[in-house]
Structures are given as C-alpha cells and as structure tokens.
Amino acid sequence: MMKKMSISTSKTSLVLLLCQIISALDVPLDSKLLEELSQPPTITQQSPKDYIVDPRENIVIQCEAKGKPPPSFSWTRNGTHFDIDKDAQVTMKPNSGTLVINIMNGGKAEAYEGVYQCTARNERGAAISNNIVVRPSRSPLWTKEKLEPNHVREGDSLVLHCRPPVGLPPPIIFWMDNAFQRLPQSERVSQGLNGDLYFSNVQPEDTREDYICYARFNHTQTIQQKQPISVKVFSMDSLNDTIAANLSDTDIFGAKPVTERQPVLLTPTGSTSTKVELRGNVLLLECIAAGLPTPVIRWIKEGGELPANRTFFENFKKTLKIIDVSEADSGNYKCIARNALGSVHHVISVTVKAAPYWITAPRNLVLSPGEDGTLICRANGNPKPSISWLANGVPIAIAPEDPSRKVDGDTIIFSHVQERSSAVYQCNASNEYGYLLANAFVNVLAEPPRILTPANKLYQVIADSPALLDCAYFGSPRPEIEWFKGVKGSILRGNEYVFHDNGTLEIPVAQKNNAGTYTCVARNELGKIQNEVQLEIKDPTMIIKQPEYKVIQRYGQVSFECIIKHDSTLLPTVTWLKDNDELPDDERFLVGKDNLTIMNVTDKDDGTYTCIVNTTLDSVSASAVLTVVAAPPTPAIIYARPNPPFDLELTGQLERSIDLSWLPGDENNSPITSFVIEFEDALHEPGVWRYQTEVPGSQTTAQLKLSPYVNYAFRVIAVNRIGRSQPSEPSEQYLTKSASPDENPANVQGIGSEPDNLVITWEPLKGFQSNGPGLQYKVSWRQKDVDDEWTSVIVANVSKYIVSGTPTFVPYEVKVQALNDLGYAPEPSEVIGHSGEDLPMVAPGNVQVHVINSTLAKVHWDPVPLKSVRGHLQGYKVYYWKVQSLSRRSRRHVEKKILTFRGNKTFGMLPGLEPYSSYKLNVRVVNGKGEGPASPDKVFKTPEGVPSSPSFLKITNPTLDSLTLEWGSPTHPNGVLTSYTLKFQPINNTHELGPLVEIRIPANESSLILKNLNYSTRYKFYFNAQTSVGSGSQITEEAVTIMDEAGILRPAVGAGKAMASRQVDIATQGWFIGLMCAVALLILILLIVCFIRRNKGGKYPVKEKEDAHADPEIQPMKEDDGTFGEYSDAEDHKPLKKGSRTPSDRTVKKEDSDDSLVDYGEGVNGQFNEDGSFIGQYSGKKEKEPAEGNESSEAPSPVNAMNSFV
C-alpha cells in the first residue's frame, strides 16, 4: 500500500481534503472529479435502529445513498424481500430509497411493525443499512381502580403509587393538582424515578384530595391522568383533643405531639442491591428515606471517588447521576440517610456493561490495479463482541470468491487487486447488548493523471517569505510530479526547493529572481498532463517614519506621524489603534494620510497609539506612547476668536470643481476646530453669501464642488471654542460654464381651486440651480387611468400653471421639467394630483340614533358613495340641537351643536345631552370644498336623569323648638320630580354630629315647619330632590333654635352656612351669681362660728376683712357693661343650657345639691384662705369627672363658675 501523502499547512497553500483517512489512493474532494469517477454505493442517511413512530402519521423510513452510477434500492422486512409494488399504501421516493407508508388514508401502523433493512446497489457493489425496528408508539389509558383515601398520622411516612400504564416509549411522570399546578417538592416530599410520590414524613398541610399522577407520552403528544388520590393527615394535637374529651381529668394522655424517628429507607429496600448500566449511558441511583426530622442523603463510592465533572446530584440529593459512564465507574455506591436520631445506609453494586463500540471502523479503499490494501474492523464491548464480514450484503463465506481477498479475523487483506475486485464490505460487531454495522467499499480505479489546480493561477508573495505553488492532482496509479521553471526550463532540484507529497512546490525564501512561470507535470502509466502557474514577488511594506514618544500638556495638540513605503502594485490601508482598541469616537481625533492628530488633549487620551498598515499580502505596525501632563502655572491666558484667514488662492479650475487654499490667522490661544467656506454668486445674487462646506481646523485646502453658470467668489471663516472669526477677504471670481439643468423643481403639486380646473404648482429653481440662461419649465399633465397622451406647455420662470376645463375631482399625472438655452434637465418624476373639488351631492342615509343614557347617545349612518363626494372625503358632521325640555316649555333660542368625525367613519357619540329632552339631528358629508346636503332631521328623546340641587334653601322663624324651611325647585329637574328628601341632625359645641333624621316631602311642597326641636341647638340640614331615576345633588344649611324670647341674635341665612347667635350661659346669669354668693357667705359664717368656738370665744374680724379686700369677681355687673344684670326670680325657672351639668330633665338630684361644695370644687382636698374664702380653683388638683351629657366649648359650666369663685 502506498505511503499516505502529507499536506502543507501554509496559509497560502490550497488545502486538499482527503476522501478517507486510511486509503491507498487519496481522492481529492473536487466536485467535478467526483462526478466523473465510478464509486460503489455509500449509505448517507438512514432511520435509527429503534424507530418508534406516531401511529397517527405516515411512516417514513429513511434510506439515502450516493454512488456512481447512482444506486438502486430494495428492502427486506423481517428477513424476506419486501415488494413495495404489491402494497398500495407503500411508496418509495424518487431517486431515493426512503419508504413512505401511508397511514393517514386508512392504513394501520400496527400492520407495518417489523425489522426493515435497505440495500443500495450499483455495478460496483451493494451497501446495506442497519436493521431498522419499526414500532408504533403506544399511550394506553390508565386501568380503572378504586382508590381508597389515605389516612395517615402526622410524622409518619407515606408513598403514593403512580403505576402508569406501559407505553412505548415509557411516559414522563409528574404530579399536579386539580388546578394543573405542579405539586411542590422538597427534601421531605419528592418524586421517585419510578414516578411514585414519597413523603419522608407527613405534615398537616399535606392534607388534600387532589394528588394526581400524570403520564405524558411525547410521541403522541398525549397526557393520561390517574384518579385523584386523597390524603388525610391526623395531627397528634387533634387526636389528643379527641382522647381528652373522653377521659377524666385524672387520666393520663398527650405525650409528645409527634414522635421523632430515625431514618428508614423507603427505596431501595434491604441493605444491598445491584444495578447494570451500559457504557456511555447515564447512571441514575436513588435513595429515598423516611424519618423525623427529615433525613439528609449523602453518597460515596466505596474504595474510590465519585468521578469529577460527570457527577450530579438531583432530587434534593436523593438521586446520584453520573453521565457518560464507562467500565471504570463499576463498583459499590453507598447512600447514607441521616438525621438527629441516627442513620441508615444502602449499598448499590453497579456493573457497567458495554454494547459494541468502535476501536477502528473500516474505511473506504481506493486502489489502483495491482495494488495491495487492507480493511480493518476492530470493536470492543463487554462482553467482547464477535466480528463477522459480509460482501455486498451477503455473508462473506457464501459470497462469490475473489482470489485477491483473504479474511483474517477482523482484517481483510487484498493483494494485486483488479477492477473486478470492487465491492462494498460490511463489518458486523455484536454482543448481547447490541451491534455495530459499517459499510466500507474497495474501489479499484484505472485513471490517467488529472491536475486540479486552475491553469495560470497567479501567486503573489512578499520578498523573503515562503512561496507555495500548488499542483493538486489525481490519477490511478498514483502519478509522479515534476516541476519546471519557464516553458523550456530544466527540472527543478536542489535544497532551495521543497517538494511536498501532495504536489505542492515550496520556495522557502522567495527572491525577486524567483518570479516567473512554473510548470507542474503529472504522469503515470496511463498518461501525462501539465499545468502552468505564475509567481510574482512584491516589495515588502515598511514604515519609514514611525510615531514617536510624546509628552504633551493638557489641552494641547499632538500629532503622530506614520509615513510608509510599499509596493506600487499593492493598495495599503492605515489603521490607528489606542491601547490595542479602536480610536474613541471623538471629533478631536483627526486621521490624516500620514498622521494622527489629537486636538485639545485630555488626561483620558494618555496611552499607546499604534499605526497598522495592511495590504493584501503583508502587514506592519509601529507604536508610540502619549503621556499627558498638567500645564505649568502660567499667567491668565486671554482666549479670543481667531483672526480671519488670509491669502485665499484658487487652483485646479475645472467645470464642476475647484481647489481653494488659504492661510489661517492667529488662533488666539484657542485651537481652530474648523473652517467654514462660503460663496457669493455675483451673477444671480450679488452680495448674498451662502454656506458651501466646512472642513476640519487642521486642513487649509478644500476641493469645492461647483454648479454651472455661476460667477463664484469664496471667503473663509475660522471657528474655535470662543466663536467665529470675521470673514476673510473674498477670493478672485470664477465663472463656470453654462450647462443644461441638473435638477427639476421640487414640491410639484396638482390641486384644483375650482371644480373645473387643475392648478399645478412647484418651487422654482434658484438662480445658481438654473445652470444657464433662459430658465423655463415644461409643464405636462394627463388624466390618470385614461389612455391619454401627455399635454405639455412651456412657461417662463414662474411657479404656477392653471389647466382649465377639467372634469370635477379626477386624478391627473403631473410633471414639471426644467430647461434652459442649453437643454433639458433629466426626465422628472410624476406626481398624482386632482382637479378641483365641488360640494358633495348626496346626504348620508339610514341615520339611526341609539340613546345610551340620559346624557349620551350614539348615532349611526350609511356612508355616501365615494363618487358623490366629488372631492377628498374629510369626514362627516353631525348637527344636533335641543327642541324642547319634556318637563317645561321650550326655550326660544335654539343653539345647534356640531360634531365632526374624521375619515370614513359611520358612527359617533353625542355627549353632553340634557336629560328628559327632545332633540333633532342631521348628518352631512364634508370634503375639501365644504359640506353636502343634510340628511332628514332625526328626532330622539333622552330619558329622565337625576335632578340638580334645589335652587335655594332658606331657614326662617326660629323659635324655642321649631324652624321654618323654604326652598326653590331645581334649576334643571331633568325629569318629573317625585319628592324631596330632608335630612337633619344636631351639632354640639364640639362640632360632633347627633343622630340623623330623614323626612320625605311631596314634590308640590315649597316650605316646611320643623317642630319639637331642642332649644338653643344648632342643626345641619341636607336637602335634595328626586325623580324616578334617583336623587340629585344636595344643598346644605345650618341654623340654631333660640333659648329665650329676648336678646336673641337671629341666625343669618342665605347661600352660606347659618351663623348661630351668641348663647347665654347659666353660669353668667345674675340670679346664679347671687345664689352662689349667698352659699359662700353662709359657709364662711359657719366656719367663723366653728373657729370662735374652738378658740373659746376668740373673735376674728371676718366681715371687716372681706369689706377691705372685696373680690371684684363677686361684684354685681352693670347692664351697660354688656354683661348680665342682677339676679332675679324671673330667671329661677329658665332652663339651663344643654351643655351645663344640670340634668336634662330640669331637676336637681339630691347628690348634686348646692348644700355641699365637694361636688363643685376639689372635694375633701379643697382649701381656704386665712379669711376663710374658697381657693379650690388654684389648688393644683384635677376637677371632678363631668357628669353624663354634652359639654359646651363656648361658655363655662356651673362647676367652672364655682371653681372660679374665690
């Protein structure tokens, strides 16, 4: 067998991909070559070995193969030939071996279960597919079973069994409730690998009746549901309560509520178990334990470590998962369940078996006649698989003999092969866990040499670098390759060349003299062929002036140079980087042809700047560091606008461009950021300067684009951070030649102003846009969608043309073209316009009104035909007005309201209607010209609503126990008034509200006298009116009943709140003051007598002392002081104020008699002065708690009067 050829890895070489890794002859993957070479069949696509199909869909069994000539296909089913022509339900795809079994048209998937195998055959051999076992998926229903409720004690373990139906493939199990919510899982509650739900210990919250196990069958996309399982958890507390209810107090019950228990394994059972898993699969080991507290699971491998990177813990560490297992993972795995009371463990002995897997799979052989080769098929497994060979799908023992073939176990040896030795061989490696089947062909070819590298391919290489010239070839037998330089040159040999096995010629160090034409020659015993390629040597790219290290002060300007030299035939690109990244997106960074300039440098600009030069063949770079430092202290710098540029010069005059250069003026301590260039057209707009362009501040030249027929003059303005300079002096003038216009007028429109015309308007060209003398416009129009010719007219330099005699509102195509004495502008684009509009002809029909409520209605109408609109439809207007109120006479003035609805709308809402009223409306269509005729008036009525508040509420004639109320009817009754409602309640002096009284009043009443009211009391009134719909808003007032018939300030009434009169407090009445003085005097006399008796006749001049020090507080007040007069008997029976401490029934209780001062002062803690006067008010003690009833916040009570009497 020939030695395998090596391939150069150079970046410029043609990388030849090999058809196979092990072969005697390499076949490059050249599409044209592969189409021409004969090749035995190769299976390219097939269905999986275990093929589970959806019984509701057509069965598609794939078998695709390639070969030259294209292979034909046949099938076997259950080991015998499957004649698809005899089964109308089975078809084979064209140019394919794929079977389609039609199930959807009456076939049954179960009838086509079996083992299928595909054979692809052509004249050079036959390839076979795997045995494809076809089985329809199954999703059977749950068997009916009667599930008893689970009654379990708190803390005990529980297992809810799922026991799903056996499906194909097995279903995915999950637990949910009746609301299709997944049941929460935790270390205590989790689902096992078998689908059961395990409770390490149950809690009261586990009580529920909807534990439902679901099985999802993915192939058929169906979900089956088990009957709900009920769990009832009895807590120990409730159990103890039940027991306690039946025992005496002396019985003993109620130990610990829940008994803690050490772990017990729920699964697996026992202390040991075994597990067999296949190599490459996922190993899943599970331990679930019961116990209280909930046990924690830990996993170890006896005598070893759990494999790193392949070990995972799932289901709260109850499941050990090891992926991609191998024989090394066999061993004993121990799970340990532990809680505070103890532990339990289980050992699982794991054995890893292996289905066959490849060590060396057989590879295709491409041989030349007379060559030798081998096919090797080596596989491993546990147990070790057996190897068997087939030739073209037939066991090799009974296949036709081939003298060049010898079978030696897992190897077939070929010697001196001939073309008839071509065949496809199958290697089958099998054991009890599976099999492997591989096809490998032996293709014996006799082909003359072919060169696959394109002819005259050009290679370009930089001098002093390697050159790799390709000569991809194919031939059988393998050709010999020779290289020549030049057409008649000698064969290349020597150390300066390297010849690769794949035909590539390498020149390790290419020089200028290596450039030229090279010829590759390939020959074998069947022929000879040659190919020429070209080699060019280019000069290397160099940076002849590299950027240099710079130190710059903050806010300064810095520039890095990067001047390059390169081969004239190569186009270089220059890229600048900062710190190996793109330059910041900042206008301060200016990249020129040979430099990088940074304006107004800041601290963040500090870093390394790199210039990279790239061509198609090489790349060079150079770097420099920029250091930014703070500027030294300097005197204050005066910043100003720059001085104007000067010395403007025009060069390079062309018809449409010119070069302008200038010298910048002084920048005045602020760098120039840009230059603004303006121009003057002395021919069309003398004295008017317009903006031309703007260039960076580092640039002092600009190439300016020009327009024809303009007499140009230019000026330049410099700009810095402070502002703009004065304009420079104008440059010399430059008159450009005339030309036809470059552009047409903009904003062309066609809009009619009258029903029979079309007004075409446009924006005229400016003077410098005319490009020459004699500017005119060609105006063209034609009716759209009518086969008419264009009508054109040439007008002077105006902006409007009117076309008369047009039909009303029809579309027109319009265009306006500019022209001058030298010709026309380019063909203009067309715009669509319309002739003039006229008023609409038709009114909207079928107007309907739907009253939604008393203030809102919805109106509908049919749209008018668009042809009758005779213009642009803008919308519809609804006119509506109130005809009369149904509850009173109509107003004389009728105010029409208008609502506009834009577009082709056919309904609208009418808000703000008045309840219980009659309305009319009509609808009109609107276009750009105006409104069309109105539809017939439509009458509608609004239902009743709630009334407004009564127009007024007056409260008059206050007496001791009555008030008179007068009111006016609502301004807007909004219906027929049914009644009035009056609510009122008293207000005490602390502004607290009393009980609410409600009175219903007939609608025809306008006044009311309220009787049996409390005297001297403030009342608040709430008054509103009602219709059959409901109550309206209310009006409120306040008023006060009087206390006596004299000295009363009547309440103020009107729109605001009633003001209460000044109230008379009993504590300030003259008779009360006199009575209190008499009581105090009597007590003083008694005390004096007692004192004299105690001192055996001693005399104390009390009367004289009182006369000398009379308290003004107890002196009678004069009436002209605005205070109360003398005490009189007439006031003895006057009722006290409600806020006083006198009982409301106007009687004085015995315990409240004024014979004792205890209840009015400080009780036993009262004190007296030396003269015997009472000083309880200033004793610092709290007053006695007030008696029941309301207290006044405006006048002192009798108690306060006594306390202030000293």
Side-chain angles (χ1 to χ4, degrees):
M1 186 171 65
M2 297 179 64
K3 182 180 178 182
K4 181 188 170 188
M5 291 181 279
S6 63
I7 297 179
S8 171
T9 58
S10 172
K11 67 179 180 178
T12 59
S13 66
L14 174 64
V15 178
L16 299 178
L17 300 177
L18 299 181
C19 180
Q20 302 295 336
I21 296 177
I22 300 177
S23 63
L25 188 66
D26 292 328
V27 181
L29 294 181
D30 182 271
S31 58
K32 184 177 179 181
L33 174 65
L34 292 177
E35 289 178 2
E36 297 175 356
L37 295 179
S38 297
Q39 180 177 310
T42 301
I43 301 290
T44 59
Q45 191 173 3
Q46 57 184 317
S47 294
K49 295 178 181 179
D50 189 9
Y51 188 26
I52 301 175
V53 298
D54 190 334
R56 302 167 300 179
E57 298 178 354
N58 292 340
I59 301 174
V60 179
I61 310 176
Q62 290 184 327
C63 180
E64 304 290 341
K66 65 179 181 178
K68 181 67 176 180
S72 61
F73 297 88
S74 62
W75 285 86
T76 63
R77 177 184 174 196
N78 297 328
T80 60
H81 176 68
F82 183 33
D83 191 350
I84 62 175
D85 295 331
K86 293 183 179 181
D87 192 335
Q89 303 294 334
V90 183
T91 58
M92 185 183 296
K93 289 185 178 180
N95 303 317
S96 167
T98 298
L99 291 183
V100 178
I101 303 174
N102 197 331
I103 300 299
M104 301 180 69
N105 286 340
K108 292 187 177 180
E110 292 78 6
Y112 292 94
E113 283 192 69
V115 180
Y116 293 78
Q117 189 171 44
C118 171
T119 301
R121 186 185 308 275
N122 68 8
E123 62 188 27
R124 287 192 167 253
I128 62 174
S129 70
N130 292 321
N131 285 329
I132 302 171
V133 180
V134 176
R135 295 182 294 169
S137 64
R138 297 181 179 87
S139 53
L141 297 175
W142 237 292
T143 56
K144 292 186 177 180
E145 56 181 329
K146 184 177 181 181
L147 301 177
E148 297 294 336
N150 291 272
H151 299 278
V152 60
R153 185 175 57 183
E154 180 183 0
D156 288 355
S157 62
L158 176 64
V159 180
L160 300 183
H161 298 289
C162 180
R163 300 190 183 98
V166 178
L168 183 67
I172 297 173
I173 306 300
F174 52 94
W175 289 80
M176 294 198 297
D177 58 16
N178 274 332
F180 297 102
Q181 300 296 317
R182 285 189 179 268
L183 295 175
Q185 299 191 20
S186 61
E187 290 183 344
R188 185 178 64 82
V189 182
S190 61
Q191 178 182 318
L193 295 176
N194 63 353
D196 292 346
L197 191 63
Y198 291 86
F199 296 76
S200 296
N201 51 81
V202 296
Q203 301 296 330
E205 60 265 24
D206 297 327
T207 297
R208 62 190 307 157
E209 297 180 352
D210 57 347
Y211 286 93
I212 305 175
C213 181
Y214 288 85
R216 184 174 67 220
F217 298 88
N218 283 342
H219 259 70
T220 56
Q221 296 296 311
T222 58
I223 296 178
Q224 305 290 355
Q225 172 184 338
K226 187 182 179 74
Q227 289 293 324
I229 301 175
S230 173
V231 174
K232 172 66 175 177
V233 179
F234 293 98
S235 67
M236 292 303 297
D237 289 340
S238 63
L239 187 60
N240 285 340
D241 291 342
T242 303
I243 297 172
N246 297 288
L247 296 177
S248 65
D249 293 339
T250 59
D251 292 326
I252 299 175
F253 65 92
K256 287 187 178 181
V258 180
T259 303
E260 296 183 343
R261 300 185 313 280
Q262 64 182 16
V264 176
L265 286 176
L266 298 175
T267 183
T269 59
S271 60
T272 61
S273 60
T274 60
K275 173 81 171 181
V276 176
E277 191 56 79
L278 292 182
R279 180 180 185 270
N281 287 356
V282 176
L283 174 65
L284 293 174
L285 304 179
E286 180 181 55
C287 274
I288 301 178
L292 188 67
T294 302
V296 177
I297 306 297
R298 185 169 66 92
W299 291 90
I300 61 174
K301 182 180 182 182
E302 294 182 345
E305 298 291 335
L306 294 174
N309 303 324
R310 293 189 294 116
T311 300
F312 304 91
F313 297 101
E314 297 179 345
N315 199 17
F316 308 98
K317 291 191 176 182
K318 299 175 186 179
T319 303
L320 171 66
K321 177 180 178 180
I322 301 176
I323 63 173
D324 192 22
V325 295
S326 63
E327 290 84 343
D329 294 319
S330 297
N332 293 331
Y333 292 81
K334 179 187 289 187
C335 70
I336 304 169
R338 184 185 305 276
N339 67 7
L341 277 69
S343 65
V344 66
H345 69 268
H346 184 93
V347 177
I348 306 174
S349 179
V350 175
T351 302
V352 177
K353 298 290 186 178
Y357 58 91
W358 292 118
I359 297 176
T360 303
R363 306 300 178 98
N364 296 334
L365 274 179
V366 180
L367 300 175
S368 300
E371 285 189 327
D372 302 336
T374 59
L375 286 179
I376 301 174
C377 177
R378 290 177 183 162
N380 201 358
N382 186 8
K384 187 171 181 63
S386 61
I387 304 294
S388 61
W389 288 95
L390 298 88
N392 294 327
V394 179
I396 202 165
I398 61 175
E401 291 189 4
D402 183 353
S404 66
R405 178 184 68 210
K406 178 183 178 182
V407 179
D408 184 10
D410 60 6
T411 303
I412 301 179
I413 303 171
F414 298 92
S415 303
H416 302 289
V417 296
Q418 302 301 319
E419 285 196 60
R420 64 177 180 272
S421 301
S422 295
V424 182
Y425 291 87
Q426 291 82 32
C427 172
N428 187 308
S430 60
N431 66 10
E432 60 185 279
Y433 297 108
Y435 74 92
L436 293 174
L437 178 69
N439 290 277
F441 64 69
V442 175
N443 196 14
V444 181
L445 296 174
E447 295 287 337
R450 307 182 191 198
I451 293 181
L452 308 178
T453 300
N456 294 313
K457 184 176 180 180
L458 176 61
Y459 293 89
Q460 295 179 329
V461 178
I462 296 295
D464 298 326
S465 61
L468 295 167
L469 309 182
D470 294 322
C471 183
Y473 66 91
F474 176 76
S476 181
R478 179 182 173 184
E480 294 181 357
I481 302 298
E482 294 177 328
W483 282 93
F484 299 85
K485 184 178 181 184
V487 179
K488 298 183 180 180
S490 58
I491 188 171
L492 297 180
R493 293 185 178 89
N495 295 331
E496 59 179 313
Y497 302 104
V498 177
F499 302 94
H500 294 272
D501 290 341
N502 63 354
T504 299
L505 170 66
E506 179 181 355
I507 306 174
V509 183
Q511 303 294 333
K512 285 283 189 178
N513 58 359
N514 293 126
T517 302
Y518 288 79
T519 303
C520 166
V521 178
R523 60 166 57 90
N524 66 9
E525 60 189 42
L526 300 178
K528 168 187 172 183
I529 193 172
Q530 68 180 33
N531 186 43
E532 293 181 355
V533 296
Q534 306 296 323
L535 175 63
E536 293 181 358
I537 308 299
K538 303 293 185 180
D539 292 326
T541 305
M542 295 182 294
I543 300 177
I544 58 177
K545 188 167 185 181
Q546 299 183 357
E548 299 176 348
Y549 172 74
K550 300 276 187 176
V551 177
I552 190 69
Q553 294 179 0
R554 194 180 298 130
Y555 309 121
Q557 175 178 318
V558 66
S559 182
F560 292 105
E561 290 187 301
C562 184
I563 301 177
I564 63 174
K565 178 182 178 183
H566 59 90
D567 192 286
S568 59
T569 62
L570 300 178
L571 182 63
T573 58
V574 180
T575 305
W576 286 90
L577 302 179
K578 179 182 183 295
D579 297 328
N580 294 324
D581 203 352
E582 293 182 356
L583 289 177
D585 185 11
D586 192 330
E587 60 183 8
R588 298 182 299 108
F589 289 79
L590 307 175
V591 178
K593 179 181 178 182
D594 298 321
N595 58 28
L596 168 66
T597 302
I598 307 175
M599 314 289 293
N600 192 22
V601 175
T602 63
D603 291 335
K604 65 180 181 180
D605 298 329
D606 200 282
T608 301
Y609 291 83
T610 303
C611 167
I612 302 177
V613 184
N614 290 303
T615 68
T616 55
L617 298 179
D618 63 346
S619 175
V620 291
S621 64
S623 300
V625 175
L626 172 64
T627 301
V628 181
V629 298
T634 57
I637 300 175
I638 299 176
Y639 300 96
R641 299 179 181 181
N643 293 344
F646 59 93
D647 197 13
L648 273 65
E649 183 179 0
L650 297 177
T651 58
Q653 290 88 343
L654 298 175
E655 290 187 3
R656 294 295 182 103
S657 68
I658 195 169
D659 293 332
L660 173 66
S661 61
W662 63 90
L663 295 177
D666 194 336
E667 61 186 20
N668 292 328
N669 299 315
S670 179
I672 296 174
T673 57
S674 62
F675 292 99
V676 177
I677 302 172
E678 297 179 339
F679 74 93
E680 175 198 30
D681 181 3
L683 187 62
H684 301 98
E685 297 178 317
V688 177
W689 290 91
R690 297 187 178 276
Y691 174 84
Q692 172 80 17
T693 188
E694 187 171 354
V695 298
S698 60
Q699 189 172 325
T700 57
T701 61
Q703 187 177 60
L704 308 178
K705 293 182 179 180
L706 305 179
S707 296
Y709 196 54
V710 176
N711 191 10
Y712 281 99
F714 301 97
R715 68 183 187 184
V716 183
I717 300 172
V719 182
N720 64 8
R721 288 195 305 164
I722 308 303
R724 296 162 63 105
S725 71
Q726 291 295 322
S728 67
E729 292 295 325
S731 69
E732 59 181 310
Q733 292 186 344
Y734 177 64
L735 177 63
T736 56
K737 294 181 180 180
S738 300
S740 59
D742 294 326
E743 53 189 311
N744 287 302
N747 197 21
V748 178
Q749 293 181 324
I751 303 173
S753 60
E754 297 295 335
D756 60 348
N757 74 6
L758 172 67
V759 180
I760 303 173
T761 59
W762 60 90
E763 290 183 5
L765 299 181
K766 294 182 170 35
F768 65 89
Q769 295 175 309
S770 66
N771 286 5
L775 178 64
Q776 293 178 301
Y777 300 101
K778 180 182 178 182
V779 183
S780 304
W781 67 92
R782 68 179 178 185
Q783 190 171 337
K784 190 175 185 296
D785 300 327
V786 177
D787 192 14
D788 282 351
E789 297 294 330
W790 286 95
T791 302
S792 301
V793 63
I794 295 178
V795 299
N797 188 11
V798 294
S799 62
K800 178 172 71 174
Y801 181 78
I802 300 177
V803 181
S804 301
T806 63
T808 300
F809 194 68
V810 294
Y812 277 86
E813 294 176 312
V814 177
K815 58 184 179 180
V816 180
Q817 185 178 23
L819 68 151
N820 61 18
D821 293 346
L822 281 82
Y824 286 86
E827 184 67 21
S829 58
E830 301 166 5
V831 298
I832 304 299
H834 286 81
S835 57
E837 300 181 63
D838 205 347
L839 293 177
M841 300 170 58
V842 179
N846 193 24
V847 177
Q848 299 292 331
V849 180
H850 171 60
V851 178
I852 297 175
N853 56 41
S854 60
T855 61
L856 180 66
K858 185 175 184 180
V859 58
H860 292 262
W861 62 88
D862 290 342
V864 301
L866 289 180
K867 289 185 178 180
S868 69
V869 177
R870 300 201 296 179
H872 294 285
L873 176 64
Q874 294 187 355
Y876 292 86
K877 284 188 177 181
V878 178
Y879 286 74
Y880 65 102
W881 62 96
K882 180 179 174 183
V883 177
Q884 66 175 2
S885 172
L886 299 179
S887 60
R888 57 189 178 191
R889 288 185 301 174
S890 174
R891 294 176 296 177
R892 292 182 180 178
H893 175 67
V894 176
E895 179 184 357
K896 288 190 176 181
K897 297 182 180 179
I898 304 173
L899 285 178
T900 302
F901 300 95
R902 298 292 180 186
N904 196 20
K905 203 169 184 182
T906 59
F907 66 91
M909 307 300 290
L910 306 181
L913 304 178
E914 293 185 14
Y916 205 52
S917 300
S918 177
Y919 279 87
K920 287 186 179 180
L921 65 76
N922 58 52
V923 185
R924 311 177 191 191
V925 65
V926 183
N927 65 12
K929 191 72 173 178
E931 301 175 4
S935 66
D937 289 349
K938 187 75 175 180
V939 178
F940 66 97
K941 298 178 181 180
T942 55
E944 289 189 77
V946 297
S948 63
S949 61
S951 57
F952 67 87
L953 176 62
K954 293 181 181 179
I955 304 174
T956 61
N957 302 326
T959 66
L960 286 174
D961 61 352
S962 68
L963 292 170
T964 300
L965 280 71
E966 299 177 355
W967 60 87
S969 60
T971 306
H972 301 286
N974 295 337
V976 178
L977 294 181
T978 59
S979 62
Y980 293 99
T981 298
L982 172 66
K983 300 178 182 178
F984 63 93
Q985 58 189 145
I987 308 173
N988 65 16
N989 289 328
T990 60
H991 305 290
E992 294 176 347
L993 298 175
L996 187 66
V997 179
E998 180 175 335
I999 300 175
R1000 183 78 67 169
I1001 305 170
N1004 57 356
E1005 297 289 340
S1006 61
S1007 64
L1008 176 69
I1009 299 176
L1010 286 178
K1011 299 180 179 181
N1012 298 323
L1013 302 178
N1014 294 331
Y1015 61 86
S1016 187
T1017 301
R1018 181 184 297 274
Y1019 286 89
K1020 185 167 186 178
F1021 298 90
Y1022 313 88
F1023 193 67
N1024 59 11
Q1026 287 87 30
T1027 65
S1028 61
V1029 176
S1031 299
S1033 57
Q1034 63 185 12
I1035 185 171
T1036 63
E1037 287 292 348
E1038 292 185 12
V1040 183
T1041 56
I1042 63 175
M1043 182 171 182
D1044 54 19
E1045 299 298 323
I1048 299 298
L1049 179 63
R1050 295 186 180 274
V1053 295
K1057 293 183 179 180
M1059 300 299 295
S1061 64
R1062 181 175 178 181
Q1063 300 183 27
V1064 180
D1065 196 350
I1066 191 173
T1068 61
Q1069 296 293 303
W1071 63 269
F1072 188 81
I1073 296 174
L1075 176 62
M1076 294 299 104
C1077 291
V1079 172
L1081 182 59
L1082 178 60
I1083 293 173
L1084 289 175
I1085 293 172
L1086 291 175
L1087 291 175
I1088 291 171
V1089 172
C1090 292
F1091 183 80
I1092 293 173
R1093 292 183 62 184
R1094 173 174 287 185
N1095 290 281
K1096 297 181 180 180
K1099 185 178 182 180
Y1100 187 76
V1102 175
K1103 184 69 173 63
E1104 291 80 4
K1105 190 173 184 66
E1106 284 185 338
D1107 293 340
H1109 302 282
D1111 194 333
E1113 292 278 333
I1114 64 173
Q1115 299 299 321
M1117 297 183 180
K1118 298 179 181 180
E1119 292 183 5
D1120 56 359
D1121 292 334
T1123 58
F1124 297 101
E1126 293 290 329
Y1127 177 89
S1128 66
D1129 292 336
E1131 296 176 351
D1132 285 348
H1133 304 290
K1134 182 177 289 189
L1136 294 176
K1137 185 184 175 186
K1138 187 175 181 180
S1140 70
R1141 295 182 182 269
T1142 303
S1144 60
D1145 58 2
R1146 304 184 184 183
T1147 61
V1148 179
K1149 296 181 181 179
K1150 182 178 180 179
E1151 58 270 23
D1152 293 332
S1153 174
D1154 56 2
D1155 291 341
S1156 174
L1157 289 179
V1158 174
D1159 290 337
Y1160 291 98
E1162 296 297 325
V1164 297
N1165 295 322
Q1167 300 180 22
F1168 294 87
N1169 286 333
E1170 290 180 359
D1171 59 359
S1173 60
F1174 185 72
I1175 59 172
Q1177 174 71 22
Y1178 302 99
S1179 64
K1181 304 295 182 178
K1182 289 180 63 177
E1183 295 179 7
K1184 183 177 178 180
E1185 290 295 326
E1188 293 183 0
N1190 295 331
E1191 293 184 357
S1192 172
S1193 61
E1194 299 181 4
S1197 67
V1199 174
N1200 293 336
M1202 284 299 299
N1203 288 343
S1204 62
F1205 181 69
V1206 290

